[in-house]
Amino acid sequence: MTLIRASDLTKHYKGKERPAVDGVSLEIESGEVIAVVGHNGAGKSSLFDMLGGLTRPDKGSVELCVDVDEIGWCPQREIIDWSLTVRQNIALGLELRQKSFLRRGRQDLMELSEAMGLTPYLDQTAETLSGGELRRTQIARAMAGDPPLMILDEPTTGLDPSGISEVFAYLERRRRDGAAAIISTHETSRFSSRCTRVIAMENGSLISDLPVGEFMSVVPQSEDLWDAYLSRVGQS
């Protein structure tokens, strides 16, 4: 099932000679975990902002095949309610996505907070958290209510190895249930075994969109997505 369809997305920013995103088209299907790789400035965050509805494209379109409330969105920058507790922040995500929130909300919140290592911090306000704890809270809010589509821009930034493993393990469980995710991450050495498809970007353009096995075939000795990316863009 197609969850989102983007056609010819283009985004220019004032004062920049080259478009941040230049004619990118893609579709996301149920059960996919898509890694988006590229150098800083390749256009990944601008693409995610358009997919998540944070920014409108100058050209092209994004067609959602699910309700906007059914998308778990975790942007690279911190968007969180600072005065609320961890518990309340996660509950916001549940309220958006679950009509049965009053019946199932507490159980789902506790399961997700445990999966993300947030149980000890549930009654702390966001302003008291460390960077890694804050990031986990933001990810948990995006994942709350089991959305069928998650858009996660650098979700592992600021996380320790345990936190990164927890995020990847949760995404794998959700994929097995049919959910989809599109993710930008610098953890390219860990992610090749977790994703099903890889989108590579350079200078705002999409240079490849392949199943992970085919994407990695150019570097059979490596399991790092970044090695395959460099090979495909002709760098070493």
mmCIF file with all atom_site columns, all heavy atoms in Angstrom, residues 31 41 67 89 91 96 116 127 130 164 168 171 174 187-188 194 201 220-221 227 230:
data_model
loop_
_atom_site.group_PDB
_atom_site.id
_atom_site.type_symbol
_atom_site.label_atom_id
_atom_site.label_alt_id
_atom_site.label_comp_id
_atom_site.label_asym_id
_atom_site.label_entity_id
_atom_site.label_seq_id
_atom_site.pdbx_PDB_ins_code
_atom_site.Cartn_x
_atom_site.Cartn_y
_atom_site.Cartn_z
_atom_site.occupancy
_atom_site.B_iso_or_equiv
_atom_site.pdbx_formal_charge
_atom_site.auth_seq_id
_atom_site.auth_comp_id
_atom_site.auth_asym_id
_atom_site.auth_atom_id
_atom_site.pdbx_PDB_model_num
ATOM 1   N N   . GLY A 1 31  ? 5.616  -1.256 5.075  1.00 0.00 ? 31  GLY A N   1
ATOM 2   C CA  . GLY A 1 31  ? 6.631  -2.270 5.343  1.00 0.00 ? 31  GLY A CA  1
ATOM 3   C C   . GLY A 1 31  ? 8.028  -1.915 4.898  1.00 0.00 ? 31  GLY A C   1
ATOM 4   O O   . GLY A 1 31  ? 8.927  -2.749 4.972  1.00 0.00 ? 31  GLY A O   1
ATOM 5   N N   . GLY A 1 41  ? 24.114 19.212 3.541  1.00 0.00 ? 41  GLY A N   1
ATOM 6   C CA  . GLY A 1 41  ? 23.789 20.120 2.445  1.00 0.00 ? 41  GLY A CA  1
ATOM 7   C C   . GLY A 1 41  ? 23.299 19.425 1.197  1.00 0.00 ? 41  GLY A C   1
ATOM 8   O O   . GLY A 1 41  ? 23.023 20.091 0.188  1.00 0.00 ? 41  GLY A O   1
ATOM 9   N N   . ASP A 1 67  ? -4.120 9.847  6.686  1.00 0.00 ? 67  ASP A N   1
ATOM 10  C CA  . ASP A 1 67  ? -4.398 11.112 7.350  1.00 0.00 ? 67  ASP A CA  1
ATOM 11  C C   . ASP A 1 67  ? -3.101 11.693 7.903  1.00 0.00 ? 67  ASP A C   1
ATOM 12  O O   . ASP A 1 67  ? -2.214 10.961 8.362  1.00 0.00 ? 67  ASP A O   1
ATOM 13  C CB  . ASP A 1 67  ? -5.387 10.915 8.506  1.00 0.00 ? 67  ASP A CB  1
ATOM 14  C CG  . ASP A 1 67  ? -6.777 10.553 8.018  1.00 0.00 ? 67  ASP A CG  1
ATOM 15  O OD1 . ASP A 1 67  ? -7.081 10.832 6.841  1.00 0.00 ? 67  ASP A OD1 1
ATOM 16  O OD2 . ASP A 1 67  ? -7.548 9.986  8.812  1.00 0.00 ? 67  ASP A OD2 1
ATOM 17  N N   . ASN A 1 89  ? 4.382  14.695 27.069 1.00 0.00 ? 89  ASN A N   1
ATOM 18  C CA  . ASN A 1 89  ? 4.827  14.854 25.684 1.00 0.00 ? 89  ASN A CA  1
ATOM 19  C C   . ASN A 1 89  ? 4.498  13.614 24.851 1.00 0.00 ? 89  ASN A C   1
ATOM 20  O O   . ASN A 1 89  ? 4.021  13.721 23.721 1.00 0.00 ? 89  ASN A O   1
ATOM 21  C CB  . ASN A 1 89  ? 6.329  15.145 25.637 1.00 0.00 ? 89  ASN A CB  1
ATOM 22  C CG  . ASN A 1 89  ? 6.631  16.633 25.621 1.00 0.00 ? 89  ASN A CG  1
ATOM 23  O OD1 . ASN A 1 89  ? 6.395  17.301 24.627 1.00 0.00 ? 89  ASN A OD1 1
ATOM 24  N ND2 . ASN A 1 89  ? 7.149  17.136 26.728 1.00 0.00 ? 89  ASN A ND2 1
ATOM 25  N N   . ALA A 1 91  ? 2.169  11.466 25.538 1.00 0.00 ? 91  ALA A N   1
ATOM 26  C CA  . ALA A 1 91  ? 0.708  11.377 25.472 1.00 0.00 ? 91  ALA A CA  1
ATOM 27  C C   . ALA A 1 91  ? 0.137  12.243 24.364 1.00 0.00 ? 91  ALA A C   1
ATOM 28  O O   . ALA A 1 91  ? -0.893 11.903 23.769 1.00 0.00 ? 91  ALA A O   1
ATOM 29  C CB  . ALA A 1 91  ? 0.094  11.776 26.814 1.00 0.00 ? 91  ALA A CB  1
ATOM 30  N N   . LEU A 1 96  ? -3.142 12.328 19.348 1.00 0.00 ? 96  LEU A N   1
ATOM 31  C CA  . LEU A 1 96  ? -3.293 12.634 17.935 1.00 0.00 ? 96  LEU A CA  1
ATOM 32  C C   . LEU A 1 96  ? -3.752 11.419 17.145 1.00 0.00 ? 96  LEU A C   1
ATOM 33  O O   . LEU A 1 96  ? -4.524 11.535 16.196 1.00 0.00 ? 96  LEU A O   1
ATOM 34  C CB  . LEU A 1 96  ? -1.967 13.135 17.352 1.00 0.00 ? 96  LEU A CB  1
ATOM 35  C CG  . LEU A 1 96  ? -1.606 14.589 17.598 1.00 0.00 ? 96  LEU A CG  1
ATOM 36  C CD1 . LEU A 1 96  ? -0.195 14.860 17.082 1.00 0.00 ? 96  LEU A CD1 1
ATOM 37  C CD2 . LEU A 1 96  ? -2.602 15.524 16.906 1.00 0.00 ? 96  LEU A CD2 1
ATOM 38  N N   . MET A 1 116 ? 11.979 2.890  24.858 1.00 0.00 ? 116 MET A N   1
ATOM 39  C CA  . MET A 1 116 ? 12.903 3.983  24.574 1.00 0.00 ? 116 MET A CA  1
ATOM 40  C C   . MET A 1 116 ? 13.757 4.354  25.778 1.00 0.00 ? 116 MET A C   1
ATOM 41  O O   . MET A 1 116 ? 14.505 5.337  25.731 1.00 0.00 ? 116 MET A O   1
ATOM 42  C CB  . MET A 1 116 ? 12.118 5.212  24.107 1.00 0.00 ? 116 MET A CB  1
ATOM 43  C CG  . MET A 1 116 ? 11.419 5.035  22.765 1.00 0.00 ? 116 MET A CG  1
ATOM 44  S SD  . MET A 1 116 ? 12.584 4.608  21.452 1.00 0.00 ? 116 MET A SD  1
ATOM 45  C CE  . MET A 1 116 ? 13.659 6.017  21.483 1.00 0.00 ? 116 MET A CE  1
ATOM 46  N N   . GLU A 1 127 ? 12.441 20.428 30.070 1.00 0.00 ? 127 GLU A N   1
ATOM 47  C CA  . GLU A 1 127 ? 13.539 21.382 30.252 1.00 0.00 ? 127 GLU A CA  1
ATOM 48  C C   . GLU A 1 127 ? 14.630 20.854 31.181 1.00 0.00 ? 127 GLU A C   1
ATOM 49  O O   . GLU A 1 127 ? 15.721 21.422 31.227 1.00 0.00 ? 127 GLU A O   1
ATOM 50  C CB  . GLU A 1 127 ? 12.993 22.708 30.781 1.00 0.00 ? 127 GLU A CB  1
ATOM 51  C CG  . GLU A 1 127 ? 12.279 22.587 32.113 1.00 0.00 ? 127 GLU A CG  1
ATOM 52  C CD  . GLU A 1 127 ? 11.512 23.850 32.481 1.00 0.00 ? 127 GLU A CD  1
ATOM 53  O OE1 . GLU A 1 127 ? 11.589 24.822 31.704 1.00 0.00 ? 127 GLU A OE1 1
ATOM 54  O OE2 . GLU A 1 127 ? 10.847 23.852 33.532 1.00 0.00 ? 127 GLU A OE2 1
ATOM 55  N N   . SER A 1 130 ? 18.612 15.770 29.621 1.00 0.00 ? 130 SER A N   1
ATOM 56  C CA  . SER A 1 130 ? 19.840 15.885 28.835 1.00 0.00 ? 130 SER A CA  1
ATOM 57  C C   . SER A 1 130 ? 19.487 15.858 27.355 1.00 0.00 ? 130 SER A C   1
ATOM 58  O O   . SER A 1 130 ? 18.338 15.564 26.972 1.00 0.00 ? 130 SER A O   1
ATOM 59  C CB  . SER A 1 130 ? 20.784 14.724 29.162 1.00 0.00 ? 130 SER A CB  1
ATOM 60  O OG  . SER A 1 130 ? 20.251 13.501 28.662 1.00 0.00 ? 130 SER A OG  1
ATOM 61  N N   . ILE A 1 164 ? 20.547 4.223  20.389 1.00 0.00 ? 164 ILE A N   1
ATOM 62  C CA  . ILE A 1 164 ? 20.484 3.960  18.949 1.00 0.00 ? 164 ILE A CA  1
ATOM 63  C C   . ILE A 1 164 ? 19.931 2.558  18.689 1.00 0.00 ? 164 ILE A C   1
ATOM 64  O O   . ILE A 1 164 ? 19.079 2.367  17.816 1.00 0.00 ? 164 ILE A O   1
ATOM 65  C CB  . ILE A 1 164 ? 21.888 4.128  18.326 1.00 0.00 ? 164 ILE A CB  1
ATOM 66  C CG1 . ILE A 1 164 ? 22.323 5.591  18.411 1.00 0.00 ? 164 ILE A CG1 1
ATOM 67  C CG2 . ILE A 1 164 ? 21.891 3.651  16.870 1.00 0.00 ? 164 ILE A CG2 1
ATOM 68  C CD1 . ILE A 1 164 ? 23.784 5.826  18.091 1.00 0.00 ? 164 ILE A CD1 1
ATOM 69  N N   . PHE A 1 168 ? 16.465 1.554  16.549 1.00 0.00 ? 168 PHE A N   1
ATOM 70  C CA  . PHE A 1 168 ? 16.486 0.645  15.405 1.00 0.00 ? 168 PHE A CA  1
ATOM 71  C C   . PHE A 1 168 ? 15.653 -0.611 15.670 1.00 0.00 ? 168 PHE A C   1
ATOM 72  O O   . PHE A 1 168 ? 14.962 -1.111 14.778 1.00 0.00 ? 168 PHE A O   1
ATOM 73  C CB  . PHE A 1 168 ? 17.926 0.265  15.054 1.00 0.00 ? 168 PHE A CB  1
ATOM 74  C CG  . PHE A 1 168 ? 18.700 1.372  14.393 1.00 0.00 ? 168 PHE A CG  1
ATOM 75  C CD1 . PHE A 1 168 ? 20.076 1.282  14.280 1.00 0.00 ? 168 PHE A CD1 1
ATOM 76  C CD2 . PHE A 1 168 ? 18.068 2.492  13.896 1.00 0.00 ? 168 PHE A CD2 1
ATOM 77  C CE1 . PHE A 1 168 ? 20.809 2.296  13.653 1.00 0.00 ? 168 PHE A CE1 1
ATOM 78  C CE2 . PHE A 1 168 ? 18.787 3.507  13.286 1.00 0.00 ? 168 PHE A CE2 1
ATOM 79  C CZ  . PHE A 1 168 ? 20.159 3.420  13.164 1.00 0.00 ? 168 PHE A CZ  1
ATOM 80  N N   . LEU A 1 171 ? 11.958 0.255  15.300 1.00 0.00 ? 171 LEU A N   1
ATOM 81  C CA  . LEU A 1 171 ? 11.594 0.408  13.893 1.00 0.00 ? 171 LEU A CA  1
ATOM 82  C C   . LEU A 1 171 ? 11.450 -0.952 13.210 1.00 0.00 ? 171 LEU A C   1
ATOM 83  O O   . LEU A 1 171 ? 10.563 -1.138 12.364 1.00 0.00 ? 171 LEU A O   1
ATOM 84  C CB  . LEU A 1 171 ? 12.641 1.257  13.172 1.00 0.00 ? 171 LEU A CB  1
ATOM 85  C CG  . LEU A 1 171 ? 12.681 2.729  13.559 1.00 0.00 ? 171 LEU A CG  1
ATOM 86  C CD1 . LEU A 1 171 ? 13.867 3.412  12.910 1.00 0.00 ? 171 LEU A CD1 1
ATOM 87  C CD2 . LEU A 1 171 ? 11.384 3.428  13.178 1.00 0.00 ? 171 LEU A CD2 1
ATOM 88  N N   . ARG A 1 174 ? 8.125  -2.438 14.216 1.00 0.00 ? 174 ARG A N   1
ATOM 89  C CA  . ARG A 1 174 ? 7.032  -1.759 13.522 1.00 0.00 ? 174 ARG A CA  1
ATOM 90  C C   . ARG A 1 174 ? 6.986  -2.149 12.049 1.00 0.00 ? 174 ARG A C   1
ATOM 91  O O   . ARG A 1 174 ? 5.911  -2.277 11.461 1.00 0.00 ? 174 ARG A O   1
ATOM 92  C CB  . ARG A 1 174 ? 7.184  -0.239 13.664 1.00 0.00 ? 174 ARG A CB  1
ATOM 93  C CG  . ARG A 1 174 ? 6.996  0.273  15.072 1.00 0.00 ? 174 ARG A CG  1
ATOM 94  C CD  . ARG A 1 174 ? 5.566  0.141  15.564 1.00 0.00 ? 174 ARG A CD  1
ATOM 95  N NE  . ARG A 1 174 ? 4.681  0.985  14.776 1.00 0.00 ? 174 ARG A NE  1
ATOM 96  C CZ  . ARG A 1 174 ? 3.652  0.546  14.061 1.00 0.00 ? 174 ARG A CZ  1
ATOM 97  N NH1 . ARG A 1 174 ? 3.344  -0.744 14.076 1.00 0.00 ? 174 ARG A NH1 1
ATOM 98  N NH2 . ARG A 1 174 ? 2.918  1.372  13.360 1.00 0.00 ? 174 ARG A NH2 1
ATOM 99  N N   . GLU A 1 187 ? 24.353 7.152  11.396 1.00 0.00 ? 187 GLU A N   1
ATOM 100 C CA  . GLU A 1 187 ? 24.732 5.812  11.856 1.00 0.00 ? 187 GLU A CA  1
ATOM 101 C C   . GLU A 1 187 ? 24.682 4.826  10.688 1.00 0.00 ? 187 GLU A C   1
ATOM 102 O O   . GLU A 1 187 ? 24.002 3.807  10.729 1.00 0.00 ? 187 GLU A O   1
ATOM 103 C CB  . GLU A 1 187 ? 23.805 5.368  12.983 1.00 0.00 ? 187 GLU A CB  1
ATOM 104 C CG  . GLU A 1 187 ? 23.931 6.181  14.241 1.00 0.00 ? 187 GLU A CG  1
ATOM 105 C CD  . GLU A 1 187 ? 25.297 6.038  14.890 1.00 0.00 ? 187 GLU A CD  1
ATOM 106 O OE1 . GLU A 1 187 ? 25.885 4.939  14.794 1.00 0.00 ? 187 GLU A OE1 1
ATOM 107 O OE2 . GLU A 1 187 ? 25.767 7.017  15.477 1.00 0.00 ? 187 GLU A OE2 1
ATOM 108 N N   . THR A 1 188 ? 25.415 5.135  9.626  1.00 0.00 ? 188 THR A N   1
ATOM 109 C CA  . THR A 1 188 ? 25.332 4.346  8.394  1.00 0.00 ? 188 THR A CA  1
ATOM 110 C C   . THR A 1 188 ? 25.937 2.961  8.540  1.00 0.00 ? 188 THR A C   1
ATOM 111 O O   . THR A 1 188 ? 25.564 2.038  7.811  1.00 0.00 ? 188 THR A O   1
ATOM 112 C CB  . THR A 1 188 ? 26.021 5.092  7.244  1.00 0.00 ? 188 THR A CB  1
ATOM 113 O OG1 . THR A 1 188 ? 27.376 5.413  7.635  1.00 0.00 ? 188 THR A OG1 1
ATOM 114 C CG2 . THR A 1 188 ? 25.283 6.376  6.908  1.00 0.00 ? 188 THR A CG2 1
ATOM 115 N N   . ARG A 1 194 ? 19.279 -2.868 8.876  1.00 0.00 ? 194 ARG A N   1
ATOM 116 C CA  . ARG A 1 194 ? 17.962 -2.518 9.391  1.00 0.00 ? 194 ARG A CA  1
ATOM 117 C C   . ARG A 1 194 ? 17.030 -1.967 8.308  1.00 0.00 ? 194 ARG A C   1
ATOM 118 O O   . ARG A 1 194 ? 15.816 -2.014 8.459  1.00 0.00 ? 194 ARG A O   1
ATOM 119 C CB  . ARG A 1 194 ? 18.101 -1.460 10.493 1.00 0.00 ? 194 ARG A CB  1
ATOM 120 C CG  . ARG A 1 194 ? 18.962 -1.890 11.659 1.00 0.00 ? 194 ARG A CG  1
ATOM 121 C CD  . ARG A 1 194 ? 18.224 -2.836 12.569 1.00 0.00 ? 194 ARG A CD  1
ATOM 122 N NE  . ARG A 1 194 ? 18.960 -3.053 13.816 1.00 0.00 ? 194 ARG A NE  1
ATOM 123 C CZ  . ARG A 1 194 ? 18.474 -3.718 14.843 1.00 0.00 ? 194 ARG A CZ  1
ATOM 124 N NH1 . ARG A 1 194 ? 17.262 -4.244 14.774 1.00 0.00 ? 194 ARG A NH1 1
ATOM 125 N NH2 . ARG A 1 194 ? 19.179 -3.874 15.935 1.00 0.00 ? 194 ARG A NH2 1
ATOM 126 N N   . MET A 1 201 ? 21.326 11.080 -2.015 1.00 0.00 ? 201 MET A N   1
ATOM 127 C CA  . MET A 1 201 ? 21.172 12.425 -2.549 1.00 0.00 ? 201 MET A CA  1
ATOM 128 C C   . MET A 1 201 ? 22.517 13.138 -2.617 1.00 0.00 ? 201 MET A C   1
ATOM 129 O O   . MET A 1 201 ? 23.398 12.904 -1.783 1.00 0.00 ? 201 MET A O   1
ATOM 130 C CB  . MET A 1 201 ? 20.218 13.247 -1.676 1.00 0.00 ? 201 MET A CB  1
ATOM 131 C CG  . MET A 1 201 ? 18.788 12.733 -1.654 1.00 0.00 ? 201 MET A CG  1
ATOM 132 S SD  . MET A 1 201 ? 17.677 13.819 -0.712 1.00 0.00 ? 201 MET A SD  1
ATOM 133 C CE  . MET A 1 201 ? 17.663 15.278 -1.796 1.00 0.00 ? 201 MET A CE  1
ATOM 134 N N   . PRO A 1 220 ? 31.075 -4.907 -1.880 1.00 0.00 ? 220 PRO A N   1
ATOM 135 C CA  . PRO A 1 220 ? 30.728 -6.197 -1.258 1.00 0.00 ? 220 PRO A CA  1
ATOM 136 C C   . PRO A 1 220 ? 31.501 -6.477 0.028  1.00 0.00 ? 220 PRO A C   1
ATOM 137 O O   . PRO A 1 220 ? 31.070 -7.308 0.834  1.00 0.00 ? 220 PRO A O   1
ATOM 138 C CB  . PRO A 1 220 ? 31.063 -7.212 -2.353 1.00 0.00 ? 220 PRO A CB  1
ATOM 139 C CG  . PRO A 1 220 ? 31.995 -6.502 -3.282 1.00 0.00 ? 220 PRO A CG  1
ATOM 140 C CD  . PRO A 1 220 ? 31.605 -5.069 -3.246 1.00 0.00 ? 220 PRO A CD  1
ATOM 141 N N   . GLN A 1 221 ? 32.616 -5.803 0.242  1.00 0.00 ? 221 GLN A N   1
ATOM 142 C CA  . GLN A 1 221 ? 33.423 -6.032 1.442  1.00 0.00 ? 221 GLN A CA  1
ATOM 143 C C   . GLN A 1 221 ? 32.940 -5.217 2.636  1.00 0.00 ? 221 GLN A C   1
ATOM 144 O O   . GLN A 1 221 ? 33.466 -5.363 3.747  1.00 0.00 ? 221 GLN A O   1
ATOM 145 C CB  . GLN A 1 221 ? 34.894 -5.694 1.162  1.00 0.00 ? 221 GLN A CB  1
ATOM 146 C CG  . GLN A 1 221 ? 35.218 -4.199 1.066  1.00 0.00 ? 221 GLN A CG  1
ATOM 147 C CD  . GLN A 1 221 ? 34.785 -3.546 -0.238 1.00 0.00 ? 221 GLN A CD  1
ATOM 148 O OE1 . GLN A 1 221 ? 34.199 -4.192 -1.106 1.00 0.00 ? 221 GLN A OE1 1
ATOM 149 N NE2 . GLN A 1 221 ? 35.086 -2.274 -0.386 1.00 0.00 ? 221 GLN A NE2 1
ATOM 150 N N   . ASP A 1 227 ? 30.018 3.850  2.703  1.00 0.00 ? 227 ASP A N   1
ATOM 151 C CA  . ASP A 1 227 ? 31.007 3.361  1.729  1.00 0.00 ? 227 ASP A CA  1
ATOM 152 C C   . ASP A 1 227 ? 30.359 3.198  0.355  1.00 0.00 ? 227 ASP A C   1
ATOM 153 O O   . ASP A 1 227 ? 30.947 3.566  -0.672 1.00 0.00 ? 227 ASP A O   1
ATOM 154 C CB  . ASP A 1 227 ? 31.592 2.028  2.188  1.00 0.00 ? 227 ASP A CB  1
ATOM 155 C CG  . ASP A 1 227 ? 32.497 2.171  3.402  1.00 0.00 ? 227 ASP A CG  1
ATOM 156 O OD1 . ASP A 1 227 ? 33.000 3.282  3.645  1.00 0.00 ? 227 ASP A OD1 1
ATOM 157 O OD2 . ASP A 1 227 ? 32.687 1.162  4.111  1.00 0.00 ? 227 ASP A OD2 1
ATOM 158 N N   . LEU A 1 230 ? 29.686 6.710  -1.154 1.00 0.00 ? 230 LEU A N   1
ATOM 159 C CA  . LEU A 1 230 ? 30.888 7.327  -1.732 1.00 0.00 ? 230 LEU A CA  1
ATOM 160 C C   . LEU A 1 230 ? 31.260 6.682  -3.046 1.00 0.00 ? 230 LEU A C   1
ATOM 161 O O   . LEU A 1 230 ? 31.702 7.357  -4.000 1.00 0.00 ? 230 LEU A O   1
ATOM 162 C CB  . LEU A 1 230 ? 32.046 7.241  -0.737 1.00 0.00 ? 230 LEU A CB  1
ATOM 163 C CG  . LEU A 1 230 ? 31.914 8.062  0.538  1.00 0.00 ? 230 LEU A CG  1
ATOM 164 C CD1 . LEU A 1 230 ? 33.107 7.841  1.442  1.00 0.00 ? 230 LEU A CD1 1
ATOM 165 C CD2 . LEU A 1 230 ? 31.753 9.554  0.217  1.00 0.00 ? 230 LEU A CD2 1
#
